[in-house]
Amino acid sequence: MTLIAAGAVVTSCGVHRPGWVETSAGRIIDVGAGAPPRAPDHGYADAIVVPGFVDIHVHGGGGASYTEPSADEIARAAAFHRRHGTTTTLASLVTAGPAELLTQVRALTAAARAGVIAGIHLEGPWLSAARCGAHDAGRLRDPDPVEIDALLDAADGTIRMVTVAPELPSGISAIRHLVAAGVVVAVGHTDGSYDQTRAALEAGATVGTHVFNAMRPLHHRDPGPAMALLEDPRATVELIADGVHVHDALLRHVVESAGPDRVALITDAMAAAGLPDGSFRLGALDVEVRDAIARVRGQSTIAGSTATMDRVFRAAVPNSASDAQLLAAAAMTATTPARAVGLSRVGSLAPGLAADLVVLGTDLDVVAVMADGELVVSLASAPGVATP
């Protein structure tokens, strides 16, 4: 058993100041407020313990990409983000040809079976050419039930989420097909109307892929997909809180109006995350990173991000780290995304759930990370740390 004590512990019920978490065999067995029941194995007097981050939309990081069908490459990307607090990852794939996509899915399925990732997110290829963003427009296609079934069969239950543009000729039927197969469907990379997005929600879609980005913009006579997603209480909306994709004022407005229980903060990170500016690849496209902003080479189109989930968490706690802010940030970086894609054993600090947590210092920087009960990051020299 391992007992962790800290200046604050953020649970779904409230913030314990001070608090403690006890784990055993990869699970949380108890969480409490006040002094711990015995001498802690790890003490973080000046730190905050939050649930391990759940990133449901990420393409890579640390120079590695989930689009590469290599076990080492996949593990390297996951390990990079784990050092930044992401203990649960849905690996996102961009648009590719049928054979290449199948190969990528098989590689990620093996990684999911090995526990490296929690599942797969197909962001393409069933997207709008008009709103393709950093996807290869030449490889976009209408959903084909034969291809869908081939991918689902190859994934053997590891495809958890698929992004679809509902205005495609077979868009709504594909949404119904995927939902019937137990897959979460997200509306995104869409030039669809408000009504078409409403039809997608009625067909079973429950997530909005990086809302506002790569979709028809909101207009007072043409509210578009963002409005349909934001006003529907069944929908969870992804936001890329990197200070680039969405203005901070809009981020605050969405959180205040929709509530933290409906907002999933994501990185949408690509291989460039954690590296200096330079040239990279995202699927079939060349990407240039300048001033930490990734763009398709020769275009103004943003190509994913260079963010990590600890940075995203800090964006959600802009001021004094009040209890209300910490509760909201923990919900949006862990509880809400986990619930959105049906991951029931992660996302909060509660008995019976996976022992996944992040210890954040006074500047909300990562001090320690525990995944499945194992400390995978531990900075023993950090202020307020006492480890017997």
Side-chain angles (χ1 to χ4, degrees), residues 240-248 251 293 302 305 307 311-312 315:
I240 309 171
D242 64 345
V244 175
H245 284 78
V246 178
H247 193 281
D248 289 345
L251 171 65
I293 301 174
I302 301 174
S305 87
R311 174 178 159 189
V312 166

Side-chain angles (χ1 to χ4, degrees), residues 173-190:
S173 61
I175 292 171
R176 294 193 181 101
H177 187 149
L178 288 160
V179 169
V183 177
V184 173
V185 175
V187 173
H189 285 274
T190 173

Side-chain angles (χ1 to χ4, degrees), residues 15 52 130 154 196 243 278 290 296 300 359 364 380 383:
V15 180
Q196 287 170 321
R290 294 289 177 267
V296 177
S300 62
V359 182
L364 299 181

Side-chain angles (χ1 to χ4, degrees), residues 2-4 20-24 27-32 37 349-352:
T2 300
L3 182 63
I4 293 174
W20 51 270
V21 181
E22 191 165 24
T23 72
S24 179
R27 296 275 181 168
I28 296 171
I29 58 173
D30 206 358
V31 181
L349 300 179

Side-chain angles (χ1 to χ4, degrees), residues 236-322:
T236 299
V237 293
E238 293 181 351
L239 290 177
I240 309 171
D242 64 345
V244 175
H245 284 78
V246 178
H247 193 281
D248 289 345
L250 188 57
L251 171 65
R252 291 193 299 270
H253 176 75
V254 171
V255 173
E256 290 169 3
S257 58
D261 289 344
R262 290 189 50 219
V263 177
L265 299 183
I266 60 169
T267 64
D268 196 17
M270 57 166 296
L275 297 182
D277 289 356
S279 300
F280 300 89
R281 297 274 291 181
L282 180 59
L285 301 182
D286 293 318
V287 174
E288 291 291 332
V289 178
R290 294 289 177 267
D291 298 324
I293 301 174
R295 299 185 189 276
V296 177
R297 181 178 292 172
Q299 301 181 25
S300 62
T301 302
I302 301 174
S305 87
T306 60
T308 51
M309 283 298 285
D310 54 336
R311 174 178 159 189
V312 166
F313 186 95
R314 288 191 290 273
V317 186
N319 298 314
S320 59
S322 68

Side-chain angles (χ1 to χ4, degrees), residues 128-180:
S128 162
R131 305 288 176 182
C132 62
H135 287 254
D136 184 353
R139 301 185 185 189
L140 297 175
R141 48 196 180 270
D142 192 48
D144 175 4
V146 174
E147 182 180 20
I148 291 173
D149 286 339
L151 290 165
L152 294 179
D153 288 346
D156 191 24
T158 63
I159 292 177
R160 287 195 166 269
M161 185 165 68
V162 175
T163 298
V164 176
E167 74 273 18
L168 296 177
S170 301
I172 297 298
S173 61
I175 292 171
R176 294 193 181 101
H177 187 149
L178 288 160
V179 169

